[in-house]
């Protein structure tokens, strides 16, 4: 993996950081080579569950929270010379399914359509979808 990700990946990371970091996640970590990459944000699972109890990841596991963290993972790949978003997961739950889980069917369709789209196109729409997911997962919503 290269030390410096391409500028389009950095823009996407910065946009997602702006949503996730204020909500308890560590800043995104990016790793990439010439063909693929991954970005990961991590939050303490118990704290995230308390702040966003409607998330599909907010049920305490049988073994307890321990030192678990909840990850948001973006997968990207180069296809025909362009960086594409190939996956968005919240602790192994696809973003579209997580949005549907909290009753946001329209945004769920938008999230599903993002997979396979250019990273540059995702830089504004993905942070907005993550914001909607987290806002819909707070108590009293």
């Amino acid at each position: 993996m290269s030390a410096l990700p391409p500028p389009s990946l950095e823009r996407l990371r910065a946009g997602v950081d702006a949503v996730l970091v204020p909500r308890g996640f560590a800043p995104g970590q990016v790793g990439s080579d010439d063909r693929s990459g991954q970005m990961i944000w991590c939050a303490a699972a118990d704290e995230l569950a308390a702040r966003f109890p409607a998330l599909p990841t907010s049920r305490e596991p049988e073994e307890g929270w321990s030192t678990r963290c909840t990850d948001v993972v973006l997968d990207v790949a180069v296809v025909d010379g362009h960086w594409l978003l190939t996956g968005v997961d919240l602790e192994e739950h696809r973003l579209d399914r997580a949005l549907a889980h909290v009753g946001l069917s329209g945004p769920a369709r938008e999230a599903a359509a993002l997979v396979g789209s250019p990273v540059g196109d995702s830089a504004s729409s993905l942070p907005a979808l993550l914001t909607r997911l987290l806002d819909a997962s707070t108590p009293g919503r």
Side-chain angles (χ1 to χ4, degrees):
M1 295 278 171
S2 66
L4 294 174
S8 60
L9 296 185
E10 267 307 302
R11 283 191 300 277
L12 180 57
R13 185 209 49 80
V16 174
D17 268 3
V19 172
L20 296 183
V21 172
R23 290 169 172 88
F25 285 83
Q29 301 295 311
V30 181
S32 66
D33 59 25
D34 294 344
R35 295 173 289 143
S36 64
Q38 192 171 65
M39 296 177 229
I40 300 173
W41 292 261
C42 183
D46 57 343
E47 293 172 15
L48 192 71
R51 290 177 78 183
F52 305 103
L55 288 176
T57 60
S58 292
R59 291 183 195 90
E60 185 171 3
E62 287 182 24
E63 66 275 9
W65 292 116
S66 181
T67 58
R68 292 181 51 130
C69 73
T70 298
D71 295 329
V72 171
V73 178
L74 307 185
D75 292 306
V76 295
V78 176
V79 177
D80 295 328
H82 301 283
W83 282 97
L84 302 181
L85 185 66
T86 58
V88 181
D89 294 302
L90 171 66
E91 198 62 36
E92 300 180 14
H93 295 268
R94 288 189 347 221
L95 179 60
D96 60 324
R97 290 186 180 165
L99 285 158
H101 177 83
V102 297
L104 298 173
S105 57
R109 287 188 296 276
E110 292 175 42
L114 275 181
V115 175
S117 69
V119 166
D121 294 350
S122 306
S124 61
S125 53
L126 181 57
L129 288 168
L130 290 167
T131 298
R132 293 195 62 190
L133 173 65
L134 295 172
D135 286 353
S137 300
T138 59
R141 298 263 328 178

